[in-house]
Amino acid sequence: MRKRLGAGVLGAITIVLGCVSYPVTTTVVAQPGKRVMAEASKFSVLWLSPLPMETAGELLDDLLEQCDGADLTGVTIGSQRGWVVIGEVAKIIVSGYCVEPSPGGASDRGP
């Protein structure tokens, strides 16, 4: 009976810890402009072909294109993984804010 109780408690702890998510980073942007987002996902059969390492860089380039030449701030990169019987689904999500030009224009910039 004691072994069953211990196994039940261990199983409950495992379930609770599997449902908890921890934030990796928090970004506070004082004056956000237009929010932009890009994502990529891939299903890997038998875990043989994961997302390439350069995927995050390509997604950042996509954010810069969405900003039409404006600067980018408050960038956050997140990843998700979901396992299924024959493989996994990996997803990378990148978001940020386009910097709005200041009302004074280029005259506010330094030399």
Side-chain angles (χ1 to χ4, degrees):
M1 180 69 174
R2 187 173 265 208
K3 287 184 180 180
R4 285 187 182 181
L5 180 61
V9 170
L10 182 62
I13 290 172
T14 303
I15 290 171
V16 168
L17 290 177
C19 296
V20 175
S21 63
Y22 301 98
V24 174
T25 182
T26 303
T27 304
V28 178
V29 180
Q31 295 178 340
K34 177 178 79 168
R35 183 183 168 122
V36 290
M37 186 177 85
E39 66 180 53
S41 64
K42 183 175 185 179
F43 178 71
S44 175
V45 176
L46 300 176
W47 301 272
L48 295 176
S49 58
L51 278 169
M53 293 296 292
E54 59 272 0
T55 302
E58 292 170 356
L59 293 174
L60 285 172
D61 291 341
D62 187 22
L63 292 185
L64 289 170
E65 287 178 20
Q66 292 179 39
C67 286
D68 296 325
D71 291 332
L72 188 62
T73 188
V75 176
T76 304
I77 299 175
S79 65
Q80 296 176 342
R81 290 205 145 137
W83 287 274
V84 294
V85 176
I86 61 169
E88 74 173 347
V89 176
K91 185 180 211 179
I92 298 177
I93 303 167
V94 180
S95 64
Y97 297 92
C98 298
V99 176
E100 296 292 328
S102 61
S107 63
D108 289 344
R109 294 183 182 172

